[in-house]
Amino acid sequence: MIYRNNHKKHPLKRKRFLFALFVVVLCVFSHFFFQFRTSDKETLHIFKKSEVSASIKYIPSNIISSKVRVIQTGNSKKNTVLFIHGAPGSGNAFYGYLKDSSLLKNAKLITFDRPGYGYSGFGKSLPSIEKQALIVDEIIQALDLKNVIVVGHSYGGPIAALSALKNNKIKDIVMLSPAIDPNSEEYFWVGNFAKWKATRWLVPRAFVVAADEKYAHAEELKTMESLWKKIPVPVLILHGKKDFLAPYKNMEYVEDYFPKTLLNSITLPNENHFIPWTKQQLIIKEIDSLIQNIQ
């Protein structure tokens, strides 16, 4: 009888061991494959294949201890379009825009890895919209950019908007599916794994940074509600009605809190949160129109 009980426990221990091994392998796999970043070498190769000249710079910052990686295409000294990615992500989210021939005709095109993402202090969170807006200001100053149009997607939306209050070189704001309404933040239970200390180590670093930003986001946004009326430049917002990550209420919030005389809103009835890619040509057309108006 004792022999039979030991015999039954042995496979159970083996199953536990195999499950633990599976979890470890899965964590290693996820940490490696879910980084949402593209190396300098890969980046330059991507643009070379498209016959677009690109450069990469690492700009010192007074806000974070690491340098900020900036990717640039185009030679225009007169106009700039600066793209700000969401969470998680990196500057590579806008590589398609940096290769666009119509935008390249009239503007310098820039994207960058926000703090904690890509190659800008990867894994080190900076859950402050104001400080991230100050980093945009640092980029504009360091590169001596002129006539800047800032384009922000999702979490990058409020950063783009606040940047216009930090630097007068910004002439237009474009927000794509912005997560800007503090009362419409969507939280998903899976995000707790990045929040809890016991499981945080299991989660890829890009998701941990995104979670840190997410759980501070609503309070951050509440502190700046009174600032939006002070926005001094035209604002264009595009938002999908089927957006479940940053609900359409964010569009309604912008219409309530931003200066109506400076606001142009475009509703996309059948689109979700990923309009930078599903509606890329429409967005390029709108940005190109803004560039023409600056001229």
Side-chain angles (χ1 to χ4, degrees), residues 32-246:
F32 182 79
F33 285 98
F34 294 104
Q35 296 188 1
F36 299 96
R37 60 180 183 167
T38 306
S39 70
D40 290 356
K41 183 178 178 180
E42 291 174 293
T43 293
L44 294 175
H45 179 67
I46 288 168
F47 286 101
K48 186 177 180 180
K49 278 181 66 178
S50 299
E51 299 183 343
V52 173
S53 178
S55 63
I56 299 172
K57 294 184 178 181
Y58 286 81
I59 296 174
S61 172
N62 292 318
I63 309 299
I64 58 175
S65 58
S66 59
K67 293 182 179 180
V68 178
R69 187 176 81 150
V70 175
I71 301 94
Q72 177 179 302
T73 62
N75 297 313
S76 174
K77 294 181 180 180
K78 188 175 181 182
N79 305 307
T80 308
V81 184
L82 193 158
F83 298 91
I84 308 171
H85 67 83
S90 68
N92 66 12
F94 289 104
Y95 283 4
Y97 289 80
L98 266 65
K99 295 188 290 185
D100 183 77
S101 57
S102 61
L103 293 177
L104 284 167
K105 287 178 184 177
N106 298 305
K108 183 180 294 183
L109 308 177
I110 290 175
T111 187
F112 69 102
D113 298 335
R114 291 199 295 105
Y117 298 104
Y119 292 87
S120 299
F122 186 60
K124 297 178 182 178
S125 307
L126 182 69
S128 166
I129 297 171
E130 181 174 11
K131 288 181 179 179
Q132 299 220 23
L134 288 172
I135 284 176
V136 173
D137 174 58
E138 286 184 329
I139 293 171
I140 293 171
Q141 291 190 52
L143 299 178
D144 192 25
L145 303 178
K146 306 288 194 303
N147 295 328
V148 182
I149 298 170
V150 284
V151 181
H153 174 233
S154 191
Y155 187 93
I159 297 172
L162 191 61
S163 297
L165 293 171
K166 305 293 182 183
N167 191 295
N168 60 14
K169 298 288 183 67
I170 295 174
K171 303 302 179 184
D172 288 277
I173 300 164
V174 179
M175 293 191 291
L176 310 174
S177 308
I180 196 168
D181 178 4
N183 300 311
S184 296
E185 279 293 285
E186 292 288 335
Y187 296 92
F188 302 95
W189 68 268
V190 72
N192 288 320
F193 285 99
K195 186 180 179 182
W196 296 329
K197 288 183 179 180
T199 54
R200 192 174 169 91
W201 67 274
L202 295 168
V203 181
R205 282 186 286 173
F207 283 104
V208 171
V209 173
D212 289 345
E213 291 179 341
K214 182 71 174 175
Y215 285 104
H217 198 47
E219 290 304 314
E220 283 279 306
L221 291 172
K222 286 177 183 177
T223 65
M224 52 192 65
E225 276 192 333
S226 62
L227 299 176
W228 302 135
K229 290 292 184 185
K230 300 176 183 179
I231 293 291
V233 299
V235 178
L236 170 64
I237 175 173
L238 295 90
H239 213 113
K241 272 208 161 182
K242 295 184 177 180
D243 193 330
F244 64 92
L245 292 175

Side-chain angles (χ1 to χ4, degrees), residues 217-289:
H217 198 47
E219 290 304 314
E220 283 279 306
L221 291 172
K222 286 177 183 177
T223 65
M224 52 192 65
E225 276 192 333
S226 62
L227 299 176
W228 302 135
K229 290 292 184 185
K230 300 176 183 179
I231 293 291
V233 299
V235 178
L236 170 64
I237 175 173
L238 295 90
H239 213 113
K241 272 208 161 182
K242 295 184 177 180
D243 193 330
F244 64 92
L245 292 175
Y248 187 73
K249 285 183 179 179
N250 284 275
M251 166 78 96
E252 297 167 350
Y253 177 89
V254 170
E255 291 176 336
D256 287 340
Y257 280 85
F258 279 63
K260 287 181 170 55
T261 55
L262 296 173
L263 183 62
N264 179 20
S265 56
I266 298 177
T267 296
L268 303 168
N270 299 312
E271 295 297 323
N272 57 29
H273 193 61
F274 305 106
I275 59 173
W277 306 282
T278 61
K279 303 301 289 185
Q280 181 170 321
Q281 290 309 309
L282 170 64
I283 293 166
I284 286 172
K285 182 181 177 182
E286 293 294 332
I287 294 172
D288 202 33
S289 177

